[in-house]
Amino acid sequence: DSGVTQTPKHLITATGQRVTLRCSPRSGDLSVYWYQQSLDQGLQFLIQYYNGEERAKGNILERFSAQQFPDLHSELNLSSLELGDSALYFCASSDGSGANVLTFGAGSRLTVL
Amino acid sequence: DQQVKQNSPSLSVQEGRISILNCDYTNSMFDYFLWYKKYPAEGPTFLISISSIKDKNEDGRFTVFLNKSAKHLSLHIVPSQPGDSAVYFCAASDLGYGQNFVFGPGTRLSVLP
């Protein structure tokens, strides 16, 4: 158990729908990152939050949004879903200071039919 | 535009021999590098890191070498064990800019008994 909790583990939905993925970071970590891994692809950085504020943005589609709440958990909202959004979505956390390590959750597998 | 490249999608090695996984980067601002290992249905787990002020870092069977002039790093696993069979991701970060970790596409290592 890495200490980073992601829910749900699996999600199957239809095109055009909206889903929310949730992440609770490791205790003490202030920074949360979201990554997308499509089939046999690498980890594509989506967005990073630090203590509630957006810190960096990657290749995140306009249909996707995220936020980090005062209790430091984060949610990734995916809307108007398309078949190509089917992927593993990973959340990772770090303490956000200096040279440190990302700790990943087990991921949420989204299947869009 | 891939800033972190792992040009070998897969690698097979005999148990007990050395595994060498390679990674190249293009952004000269990267100054902190990590290797992650990922098993199926799990999140990536941290393996070893190196900062740009060093050219080598060892942790047990794992050694990472950094060649800044060539913008190249490698992970050596000696001796390789069947349990090392996994996908290995190289990641790089510019510590001065938002701790955004950029991941390579991964190399699938198979250690044959």
Side-chain angles (χ1 to χ4, degrees), chain A residues 99, chain B residues 25 30-33 50-57 66 68 95:
Chain B
Y25 61 96
F30 287 147
D31 51 10
Y32 182 56
F33 306 89
I50 188 166
S51 82
S52 59
I53 62 172
K54 292 186 170 184
D55 54 18
K56 178 182 172 181
N57 189 27
L66 175 62
K68 288 186 291 293
L95 292 181

Side-chain angles (χ1 to χ4, degrees), chain A residues 12 22 31 35 40 42 44 47 56 66 69 85 99 107:
Chain A
I12 301 174
R22 181 187 167 104
S31 201
Y35 285 85
D40 288 337
Q44 298 297 317
I47 198 163
F69 294 87
D85 298 327

Side-chain angles (χ1 to χ4, degrees), chain A residues 16-97:
Chain A
Q17 295 298 304
R18 182 179 188 275
V19 298
T20 297
L21 309 180
R22 181 187 167 104
C23 170
S24 294
R26 199 176 56 155
S27 178
D29 285 354
L30 299 178
S31 201
V32 169
Y33 301 73
W34 287 97
Y35 285 85
Q36 178 193 53
Q37 185 184 25
S38 301
L39 190 63
D40 288 337
Q41 300 295 309
L43 294 160
Q44 298 297 317
F45 171 67
L46 296 178
I47 198 163
Q48 178 204 359
Y49 282 84
Y50 176 79
N51 204 19
E53 299 290 326
E54 182 183 307
R55 181 172 263 194
K57 216 168 190 175
N59 299 322
I60 187 166
L61 299 172
E62 284 192 13
R63 300 184 285 109
F64 295 0
S65 65
Q67 54 184 327
Q68 186 180 27
F69 294 87
D71 68 352
L72 301 178
H73 91 271
S74 177
E75 293 180 357
L76 178 66
N77 300 297
L78 316 174
S79 61
S80 303
L81 285 168
E82 301 174 0
L83 295 178
D85 298 327
S86 296
L88 264 171
Y89 291 85
F90 287 104
C91 170
S93 71
S94 75
D95 67 13
S97 62

Side-chain angles (χ1 to χ4, degrees), chain A residues 34-46 59 84-91 104 109, chain B residues 2-9 36 38 42-44 87-91 101-108:
Chain A
W34 287 97
Y35 285 85
Q36 178 193 53
Q37 185 184 25
S38 301
L39 190 63
D40 288 337
Q41 300 295 309
L43 294 160
Q44 298 297 317
F45 171 67
L46 296 178
N59 299 322
D85 298 327
S86 296
L88 264 171
Y89 291 85
F90 287 104
C91 170
F104 281 84
R109 180 174 292 281
Chain B
Q2 267 192 337
Q3 296 188 72
V4 178
K5 303 175 186 181
Q6 294 177 256
N7 292 322
S8 297
Y36 280 81
K38 185 182 181 303
E42 295 182 13
V87 177
Y88 288 78
F89 292 100
C90 169
F101 292 83
V102 180
F103 283 77
T107 295
R108 183 179 301 277

